Amino acid sequence: HLSIRRQRQMCIRDRIRIPKLLRESLLIVLSILLALVINEWRANQKLEVEKEKILASIILELENNLESLREVMPYHKKVAKGLSDLLKSENVQDSLGNRSAINLFFQYSQNGFQEPRVQANAWQTAQLSGTMSQFDNEIIYHLSVLHELQQEGVETGWKKTAESFYESESFDPSKNLMILQRFQLSVSSLAGMERYLIEKHEETLEFLRNKK
């Protein structure tokens, strides 16, 4: 009888112990899950803060680019107009004389070329850091289009235009009229490219400000 009684007592204790163990196990699991949720939330918060910082840097960079483009575009437009007026004059050949086209160009553009100080450091940082994945598709699209145009139009196009002015023919007086016509077309295209980039910067900045 004694052994039967002990068995019953052990069964009762086990029945009491099992729910207690289940509760403790459940609490441990819930604690782990809660810790994971909190860590994920903190990571998301950190990414959100980082995203806002990068976006603010991109906006500031675009504002500086826009200011630089607004400075140089009117100057290039004025140079193109001066060359155009010279080439349209009746005594254009007499005006050119025996001077080389490059010397004539600098006569009508005393400051030469004015390179726009456009940058893409903040955009490149967003790409390299992986922060860009936090932006929505519309923001990525607008920024991608703008920076592609900027790279083709200024970072590459401007340099090619400037380099073309120093080819050997530019120093040959016998070809001054033909080369000066080419100069005028190049500077006019440069001003048009800069004007287009100004418009795209303005559009993109307005879009980004409305998204914030």
Side-chain angles (χ1 to χ4, degrees), residues 115-128:
E115 182 176 6
R117 300 178 303 277
V118 295
Q119 297 183 342
N121 296 330
W123 169 244
Q124 291 167 0
T125 298
Q127 292 177 303
L128 294 173

Side-chain angles (χ1 to χ4, degrees), residues 63-183:
E63 289 172 342
N64 291 335
N65 290 349
L66 178 59
E67 182 180 353
S68 179
L69 287 165
R70 284 173 173 170
E71 287 176 1
V72 301
M73 189 276 288
Y75 168 74
H76 289 145
K77 185 177 180 181
K78 181 180 178 181
V79 171
K81 177 69 164 55
L83 292 174
S84 177
D85 291 342
L86 170 65
L87 292 167
K88 288 178 182 177
S89 62
E90 294 180 0
N91 59 340
V92 56
Q93 196 64 60
D94 294 335
S95 299
L96 299 181
N98 292 321
R99 291 171 293 173
S100 66
I102 191 69
N103 289 332
L104 288 164
F105 170 73
F106 282 110
Q107 178 183 337
Y108 285 88
S109 57
Q110 296 179 356
N111 295 322
F113 285 107
Q114 296 293 304
E115 182 176 6
R117 300 178 303 277
V118 295
Q119 297 183 342
N121 296 330
W123 169 244
Q124 291 167 0
T125 298
Q127 292 177 303
L128 294 173
S129 66
T131 309
M132 195 172 66
S133 62
Q134 302 299 311
F135 297 158
D136 65 43
N137 291 334
E138 277 189 300
I139 291 178
I140 294 174
Y141 172 76
H142 279 80
L143 290 174
S144 297
V145 169
L146 177 61
H147 283 91
E148 185 175 349
L149 288 171
Q150 179 176 296
Q151 184 174 13
E152 292 177 357
V154 176
E155 297 174 20
T156 300
W158 188 94
K159 292 176 181 177
K160 285 183 178 180
T161 301
E163 289 170 359
S164 70
F165 275 57
Y166 295 95
E167 295 175 356
S168 59
E169 289 183 334
S170 302
F171 299 89
D172 185 352
S174 66
K175 299 180 179 179
N176 56 12
L177 181 60
M178 178 187 71
I179 302 302
L180 205 61
Q181 289 172 335
R182 192 183 72 191
F183 284 0

Side-chain angles (χ1 to χ4, degrees), residues 58-64 66-67 70 143 146 198-211:
I58 290 174
I59 290 175
L60 179 60
E61 189 170 72
L62 294 183
E63 289 172 342
N64 291 335
L66 178 59
E67 182 180 353
R70 284 173 173 170
L143 290 174
L146 177 61
I198 287 173
E199 294 174 358
K200 296 305 294 184
H201 272 77
E202 290 172 340
E203 291 174 8
T204 303
L205 281 167
E206 183 180 2
F207 170 78
L208 292 176
R209 288 165 184 152
N210 290 335
K211 292 289 287 186

